Amino acid sequence: FPEMLSNPKLVLVQGNLNVVMKQNVTLSCLSEPGSPPVRYTLFKHNQQVSALNRSDLTPALFTLTISSASDVGEYKCKAEYNNSSGGKYSNSLQLTLIEPISKPVLSSPTSQAKKGQNVTLSCLSENGSLPITYLFFKGTQNISPQKTMQKREAAVIFLFINSLSDFGTYKCKANNSFPNNTKYSNAFNFTLAEERSHSQPLIISLGLILLLLIIGFTLAIPFFVIPLYKASK
């Protein structure tokens, strides 16, 4: 009599559970103990992917090529004897597709600042698998701890403009689990905002008053100056 099958074990023997496009992944399925021959079937989300018969105690090896997003998800395998109903199911393995990030964009609500002002910088990569880790730089110097974002939202840092040296060039970089895929942002510079002196509003007011007097005098010429000039003759 054939030995009763145990629940098979599904293990990854080649590749990674975090996969990229065109990557090959090999899964191994084996029921121990069990008496061959045994039929092994691989499922993804309860849909059959492939089936193999084993006449000895070697595992069934399933090689997958990740060619689209539909190739990732939860996989299980089933072990059964050919002439029996039922069968035993394995543990599940989750394949997750990772995508490269796009070039991050560094921005701020304001491009002008003055000494003594607080400002913010935001860094966001619109595309790529989460989580994404961001790092901010001024020149080549790191100015913040790494910020790992689990959601599609910008990493933000707060800066205090203390001196003219704080008006340098800022950048950020982003990376995720996709191999060799670090991207740097555009450069961003704060410019020094011109500070108006307290005398400027007074000068502007005096200029407006003078302009109104000139306009008034010009309008008065036809009505007062010319008649008076004619009357004097």
Side-chain angles (χ1 to χ4, degrees):
F1 295 97
E3 191 173 358
M4 182 175 292
L5 283 170
S6 62
N7 289 89
K9 290 183 179 180
L10 184 65
V11 296
L12 177 74
V13 294
Q14 182 184 359
N16 300 290
L17 293 179
N18 291 329
V19 296
V20 299
M21 286 295 183
K22 300 181 181 179
Q23 179 180 336
N24 290 330
V25 174
T26 301
L27 304 178
S28 167
C29 185
L30 178 63
S31 178
E32 291 182 314
S35 300
V38 177
R39 180 177 177 82
Y40 294 98
T41 306
L42 184 68
F43 294 89
K44 183 178 77 68
H45 297 308
N46 299 321
Q47 291 186 346
Q48 181 176 327
V49 176
S50 183
L52 294 171
N53 292 314
R54 282 290 176 263
S55 58
D56 51 24
L57 294 177
T58 58
L61 298 178
F62 299 97
T63 299
L64 308 171
T65 300
I66 307 303
S67 56
S68 69
S70 63
D71 294 325
V72 299
E74 184 184 68
Y75 284 84
K76 286 186 177 183
C77 72
K78 178 184 179 182
E80 59 187 332
Y81 290 124
N82 288 332
N83 297 323
S84 65
S85 60
K88 296 292 183 68
Y89 285 89
S90 72
N91 55 297
S92 63
L93 290 179
Q94 182 76 28
L95 297 184
T96 303
L97 181 65
I98 57 173
E99 297 176 306
I101 55 174
S102 58
K103 179 180 178 178
V105 175
L106 184 64
S107 61
S108 175
T110 179
S111 60
Q112 292 188 330
K114 56 187 178 181
K115 287 189 289 185
Q117 182 179 342
N118 290 308
V119 295
T120 61
L121 280 174
S122 301
C123 186
L124 176 63
S125 188
E126 291 283 357
N127 299 300
S129 304
L130 297 170
I132 298 176
T133 299
Y134 297 95
L135 195 60
F136 291 82
F137 296 88
K138 179 179 172 292
T140 58
Q141 182 181 0
N142 173 19
I143 58 171
S144 74
Q146 286 189 350
K147 293 181 176 290
T148 300
M149 311 303 293
Q150 304 291 338
K151 297 180 180 179
R152 187 76 59 192
E153 56 188 19
V156 179
I157 62 169
F158 299 90
L159 302 173
F160 179 70
I161 303 299
N162 189 44
S163 65
L164 291 176
S165 63
D166 295 323
F167 289 92
T169 299
Y170 292 87
K171 282 189 175 185
C172 67
K173 75 174 182 178
N175 58 64
N176 62 359
S177 55
F178 194 93
N180 304 317
N181 188 233
T182 297
K183 295 285 181 67
Y184 286 85
S185 74
N186 54 294
F188 187 92
N189 289 77
F190 291 105
T191 57
L192 181 62
E194 294 183 3
E195 297 186 13
R196 294 182 177 179
S197 65
H198 296 293
S199 62
Q200 277 186 333
L202 179 60
I203 294 172
I204 293 172
S205 299
L206 291 174
L208 289 173
I209 292 171
L210 181 59
L211 179 62
L212 290 173
L213 288 174
I214 293 172
I215 294 173
F217 180 74
T218 303
L219 293 174
I221 289 175
F223 300 100
F224 297 101
V225 178
I226 294 176
L228 286 174
Y229 175 75
K230 290 181 177 179
S232 64
K233 288 184 175 183

